[in-house]
Amino acid sequence: MPVIGWTLATLLISAAGGLTLSLFDVPAGILMGGALAVSVAAIAGFRTSVPNRLRDGLFILVGLTMGASVASDTLGLVAQWPITLAALALELVVIVLVCGLVLIKLFKLDKGTAYLSSFPGHLSFIIGIASAGVGDPRQIIVIQVLRVMILTLCVPIGAIFLPVGNYDVGMTAEPMELTTLGMVAAGCIFTGWVFSRLRIPAGYVLGSMAFATAMKLTGNFEGSLPPLLVDITFIGMGALIGSRFAGISRAELARATVGGLLTTAITIGIVTLVAYGLTYIVDMPFGQLWLGLSPGGLESMGALAIALGYDTAFIAAHHVARLMMLTLAIPTVALLVRKT
């Protein structure tokens, strides 16, 4: 079968897995289901394929999607919570340092693999960095995907024990104009290409996100992305994530699984301690702080915030701030690791 045939088969497996998991209302089900399905197929010996050109296109779509998710009033919201945002920044540093050292000392991973496996979030961005030659992509993906899957289960379960708040707010976004989408997409492609030519790690992702974010914050990228485009992006990324498992040995898989479980437990513990400590400093419910500082996805955290009656603006601002911090921190750490 030619490469295009294997590629189409890989995408179909990802789509089937994603659609199946989404039927159970799992947050980010299309992404995680696709990644799981293709991972199982790859480990079973199926020849998965995601060509480099398609990978770069997916990275551009990821950056576009991330930029589109930034609220236009993010900068104003960020200025309202300096103490909790400072705690968030400190929390991220502690998580990466502690989890990275654990993976280096106990599991003997190299620094690139250990620290990229420790970042709580930006899975697609981290995959882009790893694909550029920093660390072992397969180990990183096993640990990160396992982290996301555990958090997908743990956060909603943990939310059952959170007290209900009394903040009532709703927000909907109208679909954006196709001309606006086309203009921003063209800018994302060009900026991603420039970043890549400058040899910036994960240049297509970072460049695309930088352009989309700039357009969003300046009021030139209003509205929501077409759901079909977002689903296509997730299906493609699920295929890319899963294809990284091709050729992985059982020993590699077992080691990464144990590392993923341990680092996820450490991450949840640190988030819980920081959120609890903040309740003595700021006048906010523990549940709201926990959801704002949790490394779960913005969509699932926002949905839980609405269901529990918490301030969704607070939740959204902190998750966007976390992604912005990680956007700067991940390539910086990758560059430092490369030089050592």
Side-chain angles (χ1 to χ4, degrees):
M1 184 185 297
V3 173
I4 188 172
W6 291 114
T7 301
L8 289 174
T10 303
L11 292 173
L12 286 174
I13 292 173
S14 179
L19 292 173
T20 299
L21 200 59
S22 66
L23 293 176
F24 296 93
D25 294 325
V26 175
I30 291 183
L31 174 62
M32 300 312 302
L36 180 62
V38 178
S39 299
V40 171
I43 294 172
F46 181 81
R47 181 181 171 183
T48 56
S49 175
V50 179
N52 290 340
R53 290 292 180 87
L54 176 58
R55 178 201 65 191
D56 293 341
L58 290 170
F59 287 166
I60 290 171
L61 287 175
V62 167
L64 173 66
T65 305
M66 290 164 60
S69 68
V70 174
S72 57
D73 58 349
T74 293
L75 297 180
L77 292 174
V78 166
Q80 297 178 23
W81 301 294
I83 295 177
T84 53
L85 286 170
L88 174 63
L90 177 62
E91 170 194 281
L92 293 177
V93 172
V94 173
I95 287 173
V96 174
L97 286 178
V98 173
C99 292
L101 287 175
V102 167
L103 292 175
I104 291 172
K105 299 297 183 181
L106 296 184
F107 296 89
K108 308 304 180 183
L109 300 182
D110 63 89
K111 289 183 178 180
T113 302
Y115 286 118
L116 286 182
S117 299
S118 302
F119 279 103
H122 258 344
L123 176 60
S124 54
F125 192 16
I126 291 171
I127 292 170
I129 295 284
S131 299
V134 180
D136 182 347
R138 294 187 299 191
Q139 289 279 313
I140 293 169
I141 289 170
V142 172
I143 294 174
Q144 285 285 5
V145 169
L146 187 63
R147 177 188 63 81
V148 172
M149 294 180 69
I150 293 174
L151 287 174
T152 297
L153 296 174
C154 287
V155 171
I157 293 173
I160 296 174
F161 302 97
L162 297 179
V164 176
N166 56 13
Y167 192 90
D168 185 17
V169 63
M171 181 176 64
T172 58
E174 295 293 331
M176 66 178 56
E177 297 288 338
L178 292 181
T179 52
T180 300
L181 176 60
M183 177 189 68
V184 176
C188 287
I189 293 171
F190 177 74
T191 309
W193 177 80
V194 171
F195 275 42
S196 179
R197 296 291 291 179
L198 293 174
R199 299 188 182 279
I200 296 175
Y204 283 107
V205 178
L206 185 56
S208 178
M209 181 187 176
F211 185 84
T213 301
M215 295 295 285
K216 193 64 178 287
L217 295 179
T218 55
N220 295 302
F221 192 25
E222 298 296 336
S224 62
L225 288 176
L228 180 60
L229 179 62
V230 177
D231 289 344
I232 289 173
T233 302
F234 286 167
I235 289 171
M237 286 306 301
L240 179 61
I241 293 170
S243 66
R244 297 297 182 182
F245 285 85
I248 191 171
S249 66
R250 292 184 178 180
E252 287 179 305
L253 185 62
R255 183 172 64 162
T257 298
V258 175
L261 290 170
L262 182 57
T263 53
T264 301
I266 292 172
T267 298
I268 293 175
I270 292 173
V271 170
T272 302
L273 288 175
V274 172
Y276 183 74
L278 282 173
T279 60
Y280 291 95
I281 303 174
V282 297
D283 185 20
M284 293 184 190
F286 169 76
Q288 178 170 302
L289 291 167
W290 193 76
L291 288 178
L293 299 177
S294 173
L298 174 59
E299 296 83 0
S300 56
M301 295 302 100
L304 287 172
I306 293 172
L308 294 171
Y310 294 134
D311 183 351
T312 54
F314 175 88
I315 306 296
H318 281 67
H319 280 276
V320 170
R322 174 173 61 88
L323 294 178
M324 288 183 169
M325 293 175 190
L326 292 177
T327 298
L328 296 175
I330 292 170
T332 300
V333 171
L335 288 173
L336 292 175
V337 169
R338 267 184 172 177
K339 293 179 179 180
T340 58

